[in-house]
Amino acid sequence: MTHPAPTPRAATIPDRPSIDGLEDKWTQVWREQGTYRFDRQAALSKGREAVFSIDTPPPTASGSLHMGHVFSYTHTDCMARYKRMAGFEVFYPIGWDDNGLPTEKRVQNYYGVRGDSTLPYDGAFEPPFRGDAKSLKAADQKPISRQNFIELCDELTVKDEEAFESLFRRLGFSLDWDISYRTIDDHSRATAQQAFLRNLARGEAYQSEAPGLWDVTFQTAVAQAELEARDYPGHFHRVAFHRTDGGGPVHIETTRPELIPAVVALIAHPDDERYAALFGTTVTSPLFGVEVPVLAHPAAEPDKGAGIAMCCTFGDLTDVLWWRELRLPTRSVITRSGRMQAETPEWLASHEGKRLWDAELSGRTTFSAREAVVAALRESGDLDGEPTATQRKANFYERGEKPLEIVTSRQWYIRNGGRDADLNSALIERGRQVDFHPAFMRARYENWVSGLNGDWLISRQRFFGVPIPVWYPLDENGEPVHDKPLVPSEDALPVDPASQAPEGYDETQRGRAGGFVGDPDVMDTWATSSLSPQIAAGWRGDAELFEAVFPMDLRPQAHDIIRTWLFATMVRAHFEHDSVPWRNAAISGWILDPERKKMSKSKGNVVTPEDVVVEHSADAVRYWAASGRLGTDAAYDTGQMKVGRRLAIKVLNASKFALSFGEVEGDLHAAVTHPLDRSMLAALGEVVQKATAGFEAWDYTRSLEVTESFFWTFCDDYLELVKDRAYGGQGEAAAASARAALRLALDVLLRLLAPFLPYATEEVWSWWHDESVHRAPWPLASETATPEAGDPGVLATVGEALAGVRKAKSEAKVGMRSEVSRIELAGPEGWTQRVRAAEADLRAAGRITGALDYAEAEIPEVRGAELIPVAKPKA
């Protein structure tokens, strides 16, 4: 490898360099010059192996970004910058995940509205609020049409995305802003619908009417991957069921007595001797007199409560398991609104139970119904003792505030191995074809996949999402024929079945017998973002680009969404491409607050980055983020940012000093002749090797550590040692050696630091280069080679000796400019020989004007320093 060409022009150094204002200056330059633009033609001509493509996480466009975003996106950007400098054509798109529940909730709180699909569109509608409606109760939000609501979602997400882009640019993320998408734009909707239709055609997508988790606040179905188990206060109620053979009562313990009307069986463990005699018999429910069987199932827990439980349709997921495996009837009483159904259930057997329903339960909330049932049980004598307080685990939607209910509804699913052992094994194997960084994160993927118990629910009963691209013909009675869906052609996508008619029909036939009806649902947001590689890379419509960048090289993300985004993307690529979607998955940890809790919008403990960046600088914030390793949680630490700011300032000031000695003509490498200069460059060559190895091992933090450590040695020791010689204190040849070494070292150091401190390094680089440092080649160890090889130990040894001289002055409480009239340096023979090689530099830096003696010792030390005091400068 040949060395880079000599410096293209003389250095132009500002009088007072500052990091303030660098973001505004260089962001504009990078935008105008297209510094980070993906070169499509170069990528196509060089071939796939010359491309490094990134499946950039599309942040949720609802509100504001937080420091967790800064943390993980900085990790990715450091790698992108390294790969670009290493010669790859970097495909680094940006998307915005703007559809889904978070956006709808933000729109409701921002504008004071809620969607109502029964209302007509109002072309002149103006929202009652703009930005201050969060305190409104849901009942006070203004209902508006589906289309009006979607328009407000689109309007607000565009505003949020503009703010996000501004912050991302300020942080120096080297994204190609010409390759961008929104998960709700036409291209994304068409891509998601096309993938769904192909899933449907191959039998990977299907529709089913079955019990599922339901959020009563958001009024939508919820998938297994979106669950969050939380403690929820409740009470155990010991309730008597009555044997039909005249035997004594059978007591169960339940936290949900309001579901007694929905009971379909009592279930105990087959090995539980307490209930063995009851298996195969029947009992009647208290209050309602419904006869139900007593059955055995291994999922029953003998040591929980009474050991025998009522199976209701449906109280929890265990009820669903028992209902399915024991083929029990369905007796649902809770509706999608979270209230008890208005109609009296036809299966209630007792007149007292029916009267109780009509008077106390019909249309009530589950809380009110629970109170009414407990009061009736107490009055009938079927409540044994008083309720006992407890904390029960309940399933919540991860963004919800109330426990989920289980209701029966018709939903769309994509197969994911939850009910197919062969598919499950295949998807686990796909995970083994991806290199996880750190490697232990693969176990989280495999544990999730192996623990699935159902397919992926993708339909949602919301507004702002990608519509399910399906219509249904209506029979002669006006009922939809769900098993004969009408689907569009791929070239007609995207479609909206709520406002468009299927081929062969017109709008006059909508909702009429013999006509059609559109599927009312939209896709889960993960069903779109799981196609982020396909959307960004042009799977639909740009086969040439797609082939050049897919499978992608990198999926960066946080560990908490391995179960959702990472797994869902794997499923889609497995079905559509029979491959993995990317070769590497880089998994970031969380940012923790001072109480060691994850920072997130939902927890309300986030720190927004805008003010932090203004206070500390983008380079300082990036330094803090890059100091955290992949897979490891990190604390929000402004102290670390202050260290980063100090480093960025030092880059400017040290570079100004290093460049201030004037130009060096000819071959810089040949000009380096002094042992200390050769030593410094040899040590820097080792740093280049270690920093490169760090990036190649996905340990960019190690790259930063070794580079930063050397940089401070360079500033604190080398610059001090070489200063006098660079000014000409030891003759012109010695000065030329120092100046050439300074130029070579600075050229390499700036490139090593560029992925981490893009602004400070670009500023300095521009003082004597015309091109961007971020388009300069990543340094090679050979760039630090000199005609006569240097000994890396010389700089370390002489630096150690200088530290000893400084310590002697400090202990004598004299200023560092005090002269040394006599001093002895003792150490092993090799150590003293290295010091002798740069004795003149040590004398100049340490102001040793008198005798400098050497002696042998096992451990290096400074002895007998005699000083000519100079007062310390006043602080």
Side-chain angles (χ1 to χ4, degrees):
M1 178 73 66
T2 58
H3 296 301
T7 302
R9 60 174 169 80
T12 303
I13 307 170
D15 292 334
R16 308 184 75 174
S18 171
I19 63 171
D20 296 332
L22 293 185
E23 291 95 348
D24 292 334
K25 173 183 177 180
W26 288 110
T27 296
Q28 182 65 24
V29 172
W30 294 335
R31 185 197 297 244
E32 292 174 355
Q33 296 183 354
T35 303
Y36 307 120
R37 189 174 296 128
F38 174 67
D39 190 334
R40 177 187 176 116
Q41 292 307 314
L44 294 176
S45 63
K46 292 178 182 178
R48 178 65 185 87
E49 293 307 311
V51 174
F52 186 80
S53 52
I54 302 172
D55 182 16
T56 314
T60 302
S62 57
S64 60
L65 296 167
H66 56 77
M67 293 306 295
H69 291 105
V70 175
F71 185 66
S72 58
Y73 281 81
T74 299
H75 296 172
T76 308
D77 190 61
C78 289
M79 183 61 73
R81 288 179 176 278
Y82 164 72
K83 290 292 185 179
R84 192 178 290 113
M85 295 175 75
F88 289 87
E89 296 298 331
V90 176
F91 182 79
Y92 194 8
I94 180 63
W96 308 107
D97 194 7
D98 42 19
N99 72 70
L101 288 174
T103 296
E104 291 195 21
K105 185 175 181 180
R106 173 158 161 73
V107 166
Q108 290 170 347
N109 292 336
Y110 190 88
Y111 294 111
V113 299
R114 56 184 171 85
D116 185 337
S117 58
T118 66
L119 296 177
Y121 176 68
D122 180 357
F125 174 74
E126 284 294 325
F129 297 89
R130 286 189 179 272
D132 190 23
K134 194 171 184 178
S135 60
L136 276 185
K137 294 181 179 179
D140 296 328
Q141 293 172 340
K142 182 176 180 60
I144 60 176
S145 74
R146 169 181 177 270
Q147 189 56 39
N148 284 124
F149 189 79
I150 289 174
E151 288 178 359
L152 289 180
C153 289
D154 197 57
E155 174 185 296
L156 189 55
T157 53
V158 168
K159 289 181 180 179
D160 287 340
E161 287 156 15
E162 289 173 352
F164 288 11
E165 178 178 341
S166 176
L167 178 62
F168 274 23
R169 285 185 183 273
R170 189 174 186 86
L171 283 162
F173 297 155
S174 60
L175 298 151
D176 185 344
W177 294 96
D178 292 334
I179 309 174
S180 64
Y181 64 89
R182 304 171 65 219
T183 56
I184 200 64
D185 65 25
D186 285 352
H187 172 64
S188 296
R189 285 187 289 122
T191 302
Q193 289 181 336
Q194 179 171 316
F196 170 83
L197 290 174
R198 292 189 178 186
N199 290 140
L200 181 62
R202 293 190 296 258
E204 297 147 3
Y206 65 94
Q207 199 176 29
S208 176
E209 187 162 1
L213 294 158
W214 184 267
D215 188 287
V216 299
T217 302
F218 288 107
Q219 285 292 289
T220 188
V222 175
Q224 180 183 353
E226 298 168 309
L227 298 185
E228 186 175 286
R230 302 178 196 165
D231 287 326
Y232 193 72
H235 290 80
F236 272 121
H237 305 78
R238 184 174 169 83
V239 178
F241 280 68
H242 305 285
R243 293 171 58 171
T244 56
D245 61 5
V250 179
H251 288 96
I252 60 95
E253 293 184 21
T254 180
T255 59
R256 302 203 62 182
E258 74 276 13
L259 289 179
I260 290 175
V263 68
V264 291
L266 295 189
I267 297 178
H269 194 277
D271 298 333
D272 195 332
E273 296 179 355
R274 292 173 295 175
Y275 304 108
L278 294 179
F279 295 147
T281 67
T282 60
V283 296
T284 58
S285 61
L287 303 179
F288 304 101
V290 179
E291 186 173 351
V292 298
V294 180
L295 303 172
H297 194 281
E301 300 176 82
D303 58 349
K304 184 177 180 181
I308 189 168
M310 63 176 186
C311 175
C312 305
T313 51
F314 298 91
D316 58 25
L317 293 174
T318 304
D319 284 342
V320 177
L321 174 71
W322 287 336
W323 167 81
R324 182 179 292 120
E325 294 189 358
L326 297 175
R327 300 180 181 277
L328 297 170
T330 301
R331 294 172 183 161
S332 298
V333 295
I334 298 179
T335 65
R336 292 186 177 192
S337 67
R339 293 176 176 269
M340 311 298 278
Q341 67 180 48
E343 302 80 11
T344 303
E346 59 185 18
W347 59 83
L348 300 186
S350 71
H351 294 296
E352 294 80 3
K354 293 178 180 179
R355 282 198 297 270
L356 175 63
W357 187 277
D358 294 339
E360 302 288 345
L361 304 182
S362 174
R364 299 294 182 89
T365 66
T366 55
F367 179 81
S368 298
R370 186 178 307 136
E371 289 186 327
V373 169
V374 170
L377 288 169
R378 188 178 287 116
E379 184 177 342
S380 70
D382 291 319
L383 182 66
D384 184 7
E386 285 300 305
T388 304
T390 185
Q391 285 283 338
R392 66 186 178 96
K393 283 289 185 183
N395 283 320
F396 286 72
Y397 169 50
E398 59 189 358
R399 298 181 183 273
E401 299 171 356
K402 294 181 180 180
L404 297 171
E405 296 292 351
I406 297 177
V407 301
T408 300
S409 59
R410 181 174 292 277
Q411 303 288 345
W412 282 99
Y413 298 84
I414 289 179
R415 303 185 193 280
N416 68 353
R419 295 181 179 176
D420 182 333
D422 290 341
L423 178 56
N424 191 280
S425 296
L427 290 170
I428 288 176
E429 179 57 32
R430 285 292 185 208
R432 293 169 183 169
Q433 296 169 16
V434 173
D435 288 332
F436 281 77
H437 309 283
F440 68 79
M441 285 294 176
R442 179 181 288 108
R444 298 198 183 190
Y445 171 85
E446 294 190 0
N447 290 341
W448 172 256
V449 179
S450 60
L452 288 168
N453 56 30
D455 286 329
W456 177 17
L457 170 68
I458 66 159
S459 49
R460 294 292 184 273
Q461 292 65 51
R462 300 300 300 177
F463 301 99
F464 196 53
V466 178
I468 302 287
V470 167
W471 299 264
Y472 307 101
L474 300 178
D475 63 17
E476 63 275 9
N477 298 316
E479 294 296 323
V481 184
H482 288 108
D483 60 353
K484 295 182 179 179
L486 306 170
V487 297
S489 61
E490 290 186 357
D491 58 7
L493 302 175
V495 298
D496 181 5
S499 60
Q500 295 172 249
E503 186 176 357
Y505 294 82
D506 60 50
E507 278 299 321
T508 63
Q509 297 172 281
R510 184 182 293 274
R512 295 187 176 185
F516 72 93
V517 65
D519 191 298
D521 294 344
V522 299
M523 296 183 199
D524 164 31
T525 187
W526 296 115
T528 309
S529 57
S530 63
L531 295 164
S532 53
Q534 291 84 348
I535 292 170
W539 168 63
R540 175 184 162 87
D542 195 342
E544 186 179 56
L545 175 63
F546 189 71
E547 185 177 346
V549 301
F550 186 89
M552 290 188 162
D553 293 282
L554 172 61
R555 155 61 70 81
Q557 64 166 75
H559 57 75
D560 56 325
I561 52 174
I562 288 174
R563 72 189 194 280
T564 48
W565 190 36
L566 189 146
F567 175 57
T569 310
M570 197 84 81
V571 170
R572 306 308 287 273
H574 175 78
F575 283 142
E576 189 59 44
H577 310 291
D578 192 24
S579 75
V580 294
W582 0 257
R583 298 164 179 170
N584 297 278
I587 311 299
S588 295
W590 285 339
I591 292 303
L592 307 178
D593 67 11
E595 297 180 3
R596 307 299 294 177
K597 295 179 181 177
K598 176 196 174 186
M599 278 189 169
S600 67
K601 294 179 188 177
S602 61
K603 294 183 183 296
N605 62 349
V606 300
V607 175
T608 54
E610 289 84 353
D611 293 339
V612 178
V613 174
V614 170
E615 179 181 359
H616 297 284
S617 83
D619 279 351
V621 174
R622 288 173 63 97
Y623 172 86
W624 158 76
S627 298
R629 282 184 163 81
L630 285 174
T632 303
D633 295 341
Y636 173 71
D637 185 0
T638 55
Q640 190 82 345
M641 295 176 198
K642 291 176 182 177
V643 174
R645 182 179 176 87
R646 176 171 169 256
L647 176 62
I649 292 172
K650 192 67 173 180
V651 167
L652 297 180
N653 293 333
S655 299
K656 178 184 178 183
F657 183 73
L659 293 171
S660 66
F661 298 107
E663 305 301 318
V664 181
E665 301 296 332
D667 185 347
L668 296 183
H669 295 83
V672 179
T673 57
H674 194 282
L676 185 65
D677 302 334
R678 294 200 305 264
S679 172
M680 181 273 293
L681 290 174
L684 179 55
E686 293 179 351
V687 170
V688 170
Q689 292 177 329
K690 292 176 182 177
T692 304
F695 270 113
E696 291 298 319
W698 299 83
D699 189 0
Y700 47 80
T701 304
R702 176 61 178 160
S703 301
L704 174 58
E705 288 171 348
V706 298
T707 302
E708 181 188 11
S709 177
F710 180 86
F711 177 76
W712 286 114
T713 297
F714 176 80
C715 295
D716 295 342
D717 292 343
Y718 181 73
L719 287 182
E720 290 301 315
L721 287 164
V722 82
K723 179 166 53 175
D724 177 74
R725 179 157 51 86
Y727 277 125
Q730 298 176 38
E732 188 54 38
S737 177
R739 294 168 186 170
L742 285 167
R743 287 293 180 103
L744 291 170
L746 188 59
D747 196 286
V748 169
L749 279 169
L750 289 174
R751 285 179 283 155
L752 290 175
L753 288 168
F756 310 105
L757 310 177
Y759 288 107
T761 54
E762 185 76 301
E763 172 67 12
V764 173
W765 190 262
S766 71
W767 296 346
W768 88 104
H769 292 86
D770 291 323
E771 78 281 4
S772 169
V773 68
H774 305 299
R775 282 294 183 177
W778 182 254
L780 302 173
S782 59
E783 293 180 41
T784 65
T786 53
E788 184 177 343
D791 174 5
V794 171
L795 175 60
T797 300
V798 181
E800 186 179 10
L802 178 60
V805 175
R806 289 167 172 167
K807 182 180 179 183
K809 292 181 181 182
S810 178
E811 290 176 346
K813 294 183 170 56
V814 298
M816 289 296 126
R817 295 184 60 80
S818 298
E819 293 184 9
V820 181
S821 60
R822 183 187 178 283
I823 197 166
E824 181 178 272
L825 300 180
E829 182 179 356
W831 187 85
T832 57
Q833 286 179 347
R834 285 172 171 152
V835 175
R836 289 176 188 274
E839 180 180 310
D841 289 338
L842 176 62
R843 281 181 171 274
R847 299 183 69 81
I848 303 171
T849 56
L852 172 54
D853 300 322
Y854 296 92
E856 289 193 14
E858 291 186 8
I859 300 174
E861 59 178 321
V862 174
R863 301 171 178 170
E866 296 178 6
L867 308 173
I868 303 175
V870 172
K872 290 184 177 180
K874 293 182 179 180

